[in-house]
């Protein structure tokens, strides 16, 4: 990618992470990242960049040191080591949450949700879908070949992926991005159903079995046509850019990629933006906002467009409280009404008692007048007693004198 476009991309991240920028301040990414302009990401960034949201990417490895990812990347090796082929995972992760890089904001690529967190869950062997890397771009650091259909034998099996999905939900992921199509495995479909009930949106490349709990994404070119070898329209729930997308590549550089997994990554980043702005929405509401807020694409399919999706999500969120009252009631014991009144009465009585004690103490002889009066009374009483004694002594001497003889 060109240095000018890279600088614009990284500058946008540095400016937007602190305070949302105005629409006029957001640069045009069409030269190398046409997908961001195509889905209206610049407008959505005015209010949200995906902060507070975790996108889980199971079944693949990722380049942990890539400068476009390392600052918001967590690799959890609960199910396998991070290694081997990292091209697919790195490219998908950057399309979803890449944040650019460079000390002087002179390089990198942006994902749709540059402030979201990426949770990578390798399974030891990459779970890879179809996709290819285009090395025709002179600015690409190096080419990469994402594993295709002939590499399915090396992919993590569906049972492993099902366990990882459940683990990702437990770790708080709001969006789960699958790198491969959903197949007929019962464990995998049970895991996606459980994730949906938990409020986590599962996004996957289109072309697998129909799973109502998964948003199946198909890819389109910059001209809006379906990718070659695209699955039938009946298998696609949403269209997103998927051809010649500039993203993080090998050797700390960038590369252009094409394939439905990359279109799914763009859609997952869009879901993260909506969830960050409206956290009260569940997976079904997020999916409805993305699909119903889309533009009409090729063959009458819904094509991702974030400004309309944000508006749709806003309408969905109006009547949904940020705190689920049902969950609060289920987790809290029921307290009888009379007990609340009794508790309030006890508290009021204590307040009154404390107030009376405070008033009495604060108003009881604050200047020592009462003590002075007491001392004065004692002094006067002593003086009167002394005076009475003095008056009594002469009378006793007179009565007790000697009598004269007659």
């Amino acid at each position: 990618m060109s240095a000018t476009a890279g600088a614009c991309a990284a500058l946008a991240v540095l400016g937007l992470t602190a305070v949302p920028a105005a629409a006029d301040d957001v640069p045009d990414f069409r030269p190398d990242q046409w997908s961001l302009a195509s889905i209206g990401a610049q407008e959505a960034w005015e209010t949200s960049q995906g902060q507070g949201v975790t996108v889980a990417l199971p079944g693949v490895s990722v380049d942990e040191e890539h400068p476009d990812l390392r600052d918001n990347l967590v690799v959890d090796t609960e199910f396998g080591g991070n290694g081997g082929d990292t091209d697919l995972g790195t490219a998908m992760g950057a399309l979803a949450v890449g944040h650019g890089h460079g000390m002087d904001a002179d390089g990198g690529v942006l994902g749709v949700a540059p402030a979201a967190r990426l949770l990578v869950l390798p399974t030891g062997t990459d779970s890879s879908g179809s996709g290819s890397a285009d090395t025709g771009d002179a600015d690409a650091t190096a080419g990469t070949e994402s594993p295709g259909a002939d590499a399915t034998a090396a992919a993590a099996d569906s049972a492993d992926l099902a366990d990882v999905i459940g683990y990702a939900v437990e770790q708080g992921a709001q969006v789960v991005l699958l790198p491969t199509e959903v197949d007929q495995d019962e464990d995998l479909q049970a895991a996606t159903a459980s994730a949906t009930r938990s409020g986590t949106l599962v996004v996957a490349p289109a072309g697998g079995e129909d799973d109502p709990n998964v948003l199946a994404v198909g890819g389109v070119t910059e001209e809006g046509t379906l990718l070659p070898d695209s699955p039938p329209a009946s298998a696609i729930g949403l269209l997103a850019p998927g051809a010649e997308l500039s993203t993080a590549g090998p050797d700390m550089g960038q590369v252009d990629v094409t394939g439905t997994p990359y279109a799914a990554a763009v859609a997952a980043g869009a879901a993260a933006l909506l969830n960050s702005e409206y956290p009260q929405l569940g997976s079904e509401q997020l999916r409805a906002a993305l699909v119903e807020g889309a533009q009409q694409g090729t063959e009458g399919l819904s094509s991702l467009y974030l400004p309309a999706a944000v508006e749709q999500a806003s309408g969905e969120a109006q009547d949904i409280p940020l705190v689920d009252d049902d969950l609060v009631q289920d987790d809290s014991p029921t307290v009888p009404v009379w007990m609340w009144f009794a508790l309030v009465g006890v508290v009021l009585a204590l307040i009154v008692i404390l107030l009376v004690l405070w008033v009495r103490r604060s108003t009881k002889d604050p200047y020592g007048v009462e003590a002075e009066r007491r001392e004065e009374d004692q002094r006067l009483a002593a003086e009167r007693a002394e005076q009475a004694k003095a008056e009594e002594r002469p009378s006793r001497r007179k009565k007790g004198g000697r009598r004269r003889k007659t």
Side-chain angles (χ1 to χ4, degrees):
M1 95 183 263
S2 65
T4 301
C8 292
L11 279 170
V13 172
L14 294 176
L16 284 170
T17 50
V19 179
D24 295 340
D25 296 331
V26 179
D28 185 1
F29 293 95
R30 283 188 178 88
D32 290 285
Q33 291 190 265
W34 67 269
S35 59
L36 297 178
S38 174
I39 66 174
Q42 302 163 45
E43 296 181 41
W45 285 343
E46 295 176 14
T47 56
S48 172
Q49 300 166 58
Q51 52 268 31
V53 176
T54 297
V55 178
L57 181 57
V60 295
S61 294
V62 68
D63 183 358
E64 298 181 63
E65 299 302 322
H66 200 288
D68 290 348
L69 284 174
R70 61 189 175 199
D71 291 336
N72 57 356
L73 171 67
V74 175
V75 177
D76 191 326
T77 56
E78 176 72 17
F79 295 90
N82 183 51
D85 188 359
T86 62
D87 293 343
L88 178 64
T90 302
M92 292 182 69
L95 286 170
V97 305
H99 53 68
H101 71 274
M103 291 291 293
D104 299 318
D106 59 354
V109 293
L110 289 179
V112 182
R117 185 181 75 144
L118 182 66
L119 174 63
V120 178
L121 297 164
T123 55
T125 54
D126 288 348
S127 177
S128 307
S130 60
S132 64
D134 180 6
T135 60
D137 187 354
D139 291 328
T141 303
T144 178
E145 290 295 334
S146 299
D150 58 347
T152 54
D157 60 41
S158 298
D160 288 340
L161 200 54
D163 292 338
V164 181
I165 291 174
Y167 181 79
V169 174
E170 293 176 358
Q171 298 305 305
Q174 292 89 351
V175 181
V176 173
L177 170 60
L178 300 183
T180 186
E181 302 89 350
V182 177
D183 59 23
Q184 292 180 338
D185 185 85
E186 294 182 359
D187 292 335
L188 180 57
Q189 297 197 9
T192 60
S194 177
T196 299
R197 289 191 298 270
S198 300
T200 301
L201 178 64
V202 181
V203 182
E209 291 296 318
D210 183 22
D211 186 341
N213 299 298
V214 175
L215 177 59
V217 182
V220 293
T221 65
E222 189 171 359
E223 291 74 27
T225 60
L226 289 174
L227 297 180
D229 300 325
S230 179
S234 59
I236 298 175
L238 182 69
L239 294 174
E244 299 181 359
L245 305 180
S246 295
T247 186
D251 300 327
M252 306 290 182
Q254 289 79 48
V255 68
D256 287 349
V257 295
T258 296
T260 52
Y262 309 116
V266 173
L273 283 184
L274 294 186
N275 189 261
S276 175
E277 181 72 11
Y278 302 104
Q280 66 268 47
L281 296 182
S283 58
E284 295 179 358
Q285 287 84 12
L286 283 177
R287 178 173 179 170
L290 291 170
V291 176
E292 296 177 17
Q295 295 179 329
Q296 184 173 355
T298 182
E299 299 189 26
L301 295 171
S302 298
S303 184
L304 176 62
Y305 187 62
L306 270 171
V310 169
E311 184 177 354
Q312 182 73 25
S314 176
E316 295 276 352
Q318 285 182 355
D319 299 327
I320 303 176
L322 285 173
V323 178
D324 193 334
D325 293 335
D326 293 336
L327 291 178
V328 173
Q329 292 176 0
D330 290 342
D331 294 340
S332 304
T334 303
V335 179
V337 176
W338 66 265
M339 188 174 293
W340 285 110
F341 282 107
L343 180 61
V344 172
V346 170
V347 172
L348 291 176
L350 289 174
I351 292 174
V352 171
I353 293 173
L354 292 175
L355 182 61
V356 170
L357 292 175
W358 176 80
V359 171
R360 292 183 62 182
R361 174 170 293 184
S362 62
T363 58
K364 184 179 180 181
D365 194 21
Y367 302 105
V369 175
E370 185 176 347
E372 291 180 359
R373 287 178 178 175
R374 191 182 307 111
E375 292 177 0
E376 182 67 18
D377 291 343
Q378 292 175 354
R379 185 182 64 79
L380 292 174
E383 290 179 355
R384 292 192 185 99
E386 186 67 25
Q387 184 178 1
K389 289 180 181 179
E391 293 175 351
E392 184 179 1
R393 289 190 190 102
S395 62
R396 288 180 179 176
R397 286 196 298 269
K398 186 176 181 180
K399 292 179 180 180
R402 297 177 61 183
R403 294 182 179 179
R404 297 176 66 186
K405 294 182 179 181
T406 58

